Amino acid sequence: MDLGRRDFLLSAAIGSIVPVALTPHALAQGMPAPKPGERKLGYAIVGLGTYGLGVIIPQFVNCTHSRLVAVVTGDAAKGRKVAAEHGLSDKAVYSYATFDSIRDNPDVDIVYVCLPNSMHAEYTIRAAKAGKHVMCEKPMAISVAECESMIAACKAAKRKLMIGYRCHFEAFNLEAMRLARAGAAGKIRYVRSEHGFVQRDPSKWRLKRALAGGGSLMDMGVYSLQAARYMTGEEPIAVTARESTDRSDPRFHEVEDMIEWTLEFPSGAIAGCQSMYSANQNHILLMGDTGRIELEPATRYDGNHMWTGRDGRERELTPPPGPRATQFAGQLDHLAECILTGREPIVSGEEGLRDMRIVEAIYRSAREGRTIRLDGRA
Ligand code: NAD
């Protein structure tokens, strides 16, 4: 069976594909637009690092319902420079010490936390207490307990909490999800996902346990774990993990380099996932009983590729253009739209918490050398 897009559409047309329930992703894409004239919601970006400054801030030009209104940084001169470049006054620049006074700035609707992982909980909770909605980067935090306190703080303040899981707005991942749900590869039996990059500098916060909460799993491993869950559409019932780290390497004195884990799903599907800090990789493979869907690179900012086939990469697919210019604009506007229309984000705090429960189980399984059940069974 050829699983090319043309054939997929053909089989859909002749009715051989099981109708798909409207997934949260479909709902997100088809969300009613905020009313005409409704103002753009204002974001304050906390942390002007590689991601906050280099990736997110340039994306507001692609947004329909979101705009940059403030920055929070430990470097006042950098903050003033970024503000000036984006037409903001010096008053839009906050330090970590003055952050709480953001409550008095009515232009700020949403605080976007782009800080090291161990600071996510503190700034999310402070933002909620200041009356702001929150977009928090992945991983949501460094423990289940922190995630729970973030959700509780946002609930108490009646504010929305969304996790920066940008792949839920990325065209190739959305198309692969759609194809998988529509049965284009048959019944999904096996998922593989590996993510990693080479960490060279031992002084980086990502290699410090207190700031990162862990190693490659907390960073790139979140993509492998997320992919296994959103591609199967199932929640894992058990996990078995194994870690391999050269602890004599100065980069890995505090955190793991390579970790692999197997997830078992209720349908019988298995996911083999992995992350590492000593090789570059970015891959998702779905194997069904009639074919396969493969993405490589799978979750990059751009330049992703996708193939379908029976035994290998037989046909390359380009997803249809989505409603958003980029995955980042989709992500930023989604939270703004949820606030304007009173919906819950498709990647809410609960979604980040679900991942963190599995992350803790992965570490525990690797430590104790045994399978950890996630479904409450002994
Ligand atoms: P970075 O090191 O480039 O930036 C971190 C920012 O935090 C800097 O502005 C730094 O000054 C500030 N900071 C404040 N206190 C700090 C401290 N004690 N130590 C170190 N930095 C401190 O990191 P980044 O790559 O921008 O990552 C930030 C967050 O964004 C992380 O949680 C990361 O997982 C996430 N991220 C997500 C994606 C994605 O694709 N969704 C990509 C990259 C990073």
Side-chain angles (χ1 to χ4, degrees):
M1 179 182 157
D2 189 333
L3 287 171
R5 180 163 171 73
R6 207 186 48 183
D7 309 85
F8 168 72
L9 291 173
L10 184 65
S11 53
I14 60 172
S16 64
I17 288 181
V18 185
V20 195
L22 203 56
T23 63
H25 301 92
L27 287 169
Q29 300 302 309
M31 210 166 197
K35 295 180 194 79
E38 223 148 10
R39 73 185 175 98
K40 286 188 175 187
L41 296 198
Y43 272 86
I45 303 297
V46 190
L48 298 180
T50 315
Y51 199 63
L53 178 60
V55 177
I56 294 300
I57 287 181
Q59 286 294 327
F60 286 101
V61 295
N62 293 318
C63 290
T64 309
H65 303 300
S66 317
R67 63 188 180 119
L68 177 70
V69 294
V71 294
V72 183
T73 171
D75 181 339
K78 185 182 191 179
R80 282 194 298 272
K81 183 169 175 287
V82 173
E85 283 166 2
H86 292 83
L88 306 177
S89 77
D90 289 357
K91 284 194 185 137
V93 181
Y94 294 83
S95 69
Y96 298 114
T98 63
F99 173 73
D100 302 298
S101 66
I102 215 158
R103 75 172 66 242
D104 302 321
N105 186 340
D107 289 341
V108 176
D109 300 285
I110 303 164
V111 165
Y112 192 158
V113 181
C114 296
L115 293 166
N117 308 342
S118 68
M119 301 171 79
H120 291 184
E122 178 189 341
Y123 281 85
T124 295
I125 292 167
R126 283 170 69 181
K129 285 187 173 159
K132 307 301 179 186
H133 301 280
V134 183
M135 177 82 79
C136 178
E137 256 317 312
K138 45 63 53 181
M140 179 171 171
I142 60 171
S143 69
V144 165
E146 281 190 351
C147 295
E148 287 171 342
S149 61
M150 293 157 79
I151 291 170
C154 290
K155 279 215 171 95
K158 297 192 171 48
R159 289 296 172 263
K160 297 199 186 292
L161 172 57
M162 174 167 157
I163 310 304
Y165 286 141
R166 59 180 169 76
C167 295
H168 290 255
F169 305 91
E170 197 277 331
F172 286 81
N173 283 267
L174 287 173
E175 182 66 355
M177 271 185 246
R178 191 185 69 78
L179 289 171
R181 299 283 192 285
K187 182 173 159 61
I188 299 295
R189 299 288 300 132
Y190 184 68
V191 177
R192 251 176 57 199
S193 186
E194 305 94 359
H195 284 80
F197 70 98
V198 181
Q199 276 284 8
R200 298 191 191 282
D201 181 355
S203 72
K204 291 283 187 205
W205 66 260
R206 280 182 167 80
L207 299 173
K208 305 294 169 205
R209 178 164 294 279
L211 285 163
S216 69
L217 172 57
M218 281 291 191
D219 189 0
M220 302 306 282
V222 171
Y223 292 96
S224 301
L225 171 56
Q226 268 277 301
R229 292 183 52 240
Y230 62 67
M231 290 301 182
T232 58
E234 294 188 73
E235 292 303 322
I237 53 175
V239 59
T240 313
R242 189 164 51 144
E243 186 204 316
S244 172
T245 301
D246 175 2
R247 294 286 174 182
S248 69
D249 185 323
R251 296 173 298 171
F252 304 123
H253 284 175
E254 295 189 26
V255 299
E256 81 279 358
D257 169 15
M258 181 165 70
I259 187 157
E260 61 164 19
W261 65 98
T262 302
L263 298 171
E264 295 166 43
F265 291 98
S267 68
I270 297 279
C273 301
Q274 191 250 30
S275 65
M276 63 200 297
Y277 269 158
S278 53
N280 297 315
Q281 51 183 349
N282 192 306
H283 181 226
I284 300 171
L285 172 64
L286 312 182
M287 298 174 72
D289 57 6
T290 61
R292 46 201 265 161
I293 303 166
E294 186 164 16
L295 293 88
E296 188 171 27
T299 61
R300 285 207 187 139
Y301 298 160
D302 54 31
N304 294 323
H305 288 273
M306 172 164 58
W307 295 265
T308 55
R310 197 176 69 173
D311 302 316
R313 296 176 173 184
E314 285 153 27
R315 183 171 300 233
E316 184 159 7
L317 296 188
T318 304
R324 310 294 185 188
T326 65
Q327 57 184 311
F328 311 98
Q331 178 198 318
L332 290 163
D333 272 347
H334 178 67
L335 180 53
E337 288 168 355
C338 285
I339 294 164
L340 291 168
T341 59
R343 291 181 188 239
E344 266 311 291
I346 56 169
V347 278
S348 62
E350 279 77 7
E351 177 70 1
L353 170 61
R354 278 191 277 275
D355 279 340
M356 194 52 60
R357 286 205 175 104
I358 302 168
V359 162
E360 286 194 351
I362 292 168
Y363 280 133
R364 188 167 158 216
S365 171
R367 220 171 34 243
E368 298 180 4
R370 67 185 181 93
T371 296
I372 304 291
R373 303 280 323 177
L374 298 162
D375 56 1
R377 286 175 43 197

